[in-house]
Structure formats: C-alpha cells, structure tokens
Amino acid sequence: MLHFLVLTSLVLYGHSTQDFPETNARVVGGTEVQRNSWPSQISLQYLSLGSWHHTCGGTLIRQKWVLTAAHCVDRSRTFRVVVGEHNLKQKEGSEQSVSVQKIVTHSKWNTKNAAAGYDIALLRLAQAVTLNSYVQLGVLPQEGDILANDTPCYITGWGLTKSNGQVSQTLQQAYLPSVSYAICSGSSYWGSTVKNTMVCAGGDGVRSGCQGDSGGPLHCLVNGQYAVHGVTSFVSTLGCNVAKKPTVFTRVSAYISWINNVSPLK
C-alpha cells in the first residue's frame, strides 16, 4: 500500500511502518532566514476559535494571487494570507493580512491520492497587496523547464524543525539540491510514487521539508536567478528527513499554462 505524508500544519494523518507520502512538511535541518530574503513567501492561515493559525506556505505570484498546494485548502475553512511575514508570534510592521476571496484547486486533484499529482492551487485575494522590500512577486520558471540533477535549491517555511517536533516561529530555509526524476523514481528512492510532474529535492537524511511547509516554494537557481520550481507537497511518513526519500514538490513548470489561465496578469 502507498503511504506518504502531505505537509499541512496541524493536520496530521496516521503513521505506519510503511513508507508512504505525507503532505504535512516543514523545514528540518534549516536555519532562520534574514528578514525579507524571500519576499514572495506567504503564510496561509485559518480561523479557529477566534484566532488565526498558520497551516501552510505559499508564493505570491500576482498582487491578488497566491500559489500553494491543493491539499492545503481542500477542507472548508476561513483562510487569510499574510505577506511580509517573518515571526509568526510578533508584529514586526511589515505584515499585510488579506482574506482569501476564491480558491481554485486543479480539477484533477484527488484528496485521497496526493501521489497522483496535481497538488496545486491558486488563491485569489480579496484585495491587491502592496509591493515593497518585504513583499515581492515570485519568479516562475518557463513552461516545461526541467531541473538538472543537483541544481542548488532552497525550501522555506515555518514547518516543524524535526519530525514530531514544533512549528518554527520564524521563517526557516534549508538547502535542498534537486534530485533528477531518473534518480528519484528509482527503486531505492521513491519509485513509482514520484511522477514526472513532480520535483524531488534533498534526501540526505538531514535536511528536508516537514509539516507546516506544505504549499511553500522551492526556489532553485537557474541561469543566475532563483525561480519557484516547486510547491511543497509530501515527505515520507517514516519521518521528514529520511535518507533517499527527498522532499517531493509539485513541478511548477508543468502547470504554467494552468496558472496563467486561472490567474491572468490583468
């Protein structure tokens, strides 16, 4: 049986001794980022008992549109997006909070089978955010771009800092070089669980995504520019930082046409 963990915060599914995807990822083995070093990163939060709680990451791609994972928003909740965020527990003056007006998940997304792919969603904000040094639009790759093996990439998020650990109050980053599809789909890695519409990164057994990082970006350095090549999707239920089980991301370059159709520039 296929098992894995999707990486939304505070939405944990049962673990077993089998190795399957979990979609609740957070940065393990990372370090706190310098404020405004990843200004397209957002915190997706939901309302519960009168308070807002971080659940996922995401990327600001238009002033009224955010890119995230479908599994982050496939339950009925009241959501908001916070841009310019760094410390979830402090007001630092750079934050802008905007309610989510509309949620568009990919039509082929299957809540019960994240390994099938299509773990991607767009959020339309109720109003445009203001761009400044703390809030910028993420750069998307060209349609169809495929990362070379061992491309320099960074995952960012407020997720767990270790398996079964605590959510980070401050934004973390971890260096996760890409792992080619040929390697990642091998029998000693993820096998057929990984599709060619996904990106693998990491897998050294030290650094990884973990619960709470879901939906956030994988920034990769290509031709001298960092672009958002991945949307954090799942890790192994055996643990976030399992050797030869790289963090798995939705490959953004496979969905450029879909993104442009849903969220036109104007």
Side-chain angles (χ1 to χ4, degrees):
M1 180 183 292
L2 175 69
H3 290 228
F4 64 91
L5 171 64
V6 289
L7 303 175
T8 47
S9 166
L10 306 179
V11 185
L12 303 181
Y13 299 88
H15 289 241
S16 78
T17 56
Q18 294 176 290
D19 188 17
F20 67 94
E22 268 214 62
T23 48
N24 281 341
R26 302 175 182 178
V27 173
V28 175
T31 57
E32 181 177 346
V33 308
Q34 182 179 348
R35 280 190 68 197
N36 82 335
S37 54
W38 302 107
S40 63
Q41 170 87 45
I42 67 94
S43 168
L44 179 64
Q45 303 177 2
Y46 68 93
L47 185 63
S48 177
L49 301 176
S51 298
W52 292 98
H53 304 271
H54 171 83
T55 185
C56 279
T59 303
L60 185 70
I61 63 167
R62 320 267 196 250
Q63 284 183 261
K64 294 184 72 171
W65 288 93
V66 163
L67 178 67
T68 190
H71 77 260
C72 289
V73 290
D74 59 7
R75 297 203 301 166
S76 180
R77 283 174 162 171
T78 298
F79 290 105
R80 74 174 184 181
V81 162
V82 182
V83 299
E85 182 66 281
H86 179 71
N87 189 319
L88 295 172
K89 301 297 183 182
Q90 295 180 5
K91 293 292 185 183
E92 298 168 294
S94 56
E95 306 92 341
Q96 301 174 50
S97 301
V98 186
S99 60
V100 173
Q101 183 181 75
K102 182 181 180 181
I103 298 172
V104 183
T105 56
H106 197 283
S107 61
K108 293 185 179 180
W109 163 248
N110 181 352
T111 302
K112 298 180 180 179
N113 187 12
Y118 307 103
D119 189 9
I120 191 167
L122 286 164
L123 313 178
R124 181 177 171 83
L125 306 181
Q127 62 191 57
V129 301
T130 300
L131 301 182
N132 53 43
S133 59
Y134 297 99
V135 181
Q136 291 290 320
L137 303 183
V139 176
L140 300 184
Q142 294 295 311
E143 186 166 15
D145 275 2
I146 301 295
L147 293 170
N149 187 62
D150 210 31
T151 298
C153 300
Y154 284 88
I155 184 175
T156 53
W158 289 273
L160 302 185
T161 54
K162 64 179 179 179
S163 296
N164 301 314
Q166 299 295 315
V167 178
S168 174
Q169 291 186 14
T170 57
L171 185 63
Q172 304 286 303
Q173 68 178 27
Y175 178 67
L176 296 186
S178 66
V179 179
S180 70
Y181 174 71
I183 294 173
C184 198
S185 60
S187 59
S188 62
Y189 279 72
W190 274 108
S192 61
T193 299
V194 167
K195 311 301 186 289
N196 62 9
T197 55
M198 301 174 183
V199 170
C200 298
D204 64 359
V206 178
R207 294 162 295 191
S208 72
C210 199
Q211 288 83 358
D213 290 329
S214 280
L218 179 72
H219 283 97
C220 299
L221 183 61
V222 178
N223 296 326
Q225 183 180 44
Y226 279 101
V228 180
H229 280 263
V231 174
T232 309
S233 185
F234 62 81
V235 293
S236 169
T237 49
L238 299 180
C240 293
N241 50 327
V242 177
K244 294 190 176 181
K245 288 294 181 289
T247 305
V248 181
F249 303 80
T250 301
R251 177 166 63 84
V252 175
S253 67
Y255 296 94
I256 296 298
S257 294
W258 179 81
I259 290 170
N260 289 336
N261 288 336
V262 173
S263 60
L265 288 173
K266 294 183 180 180

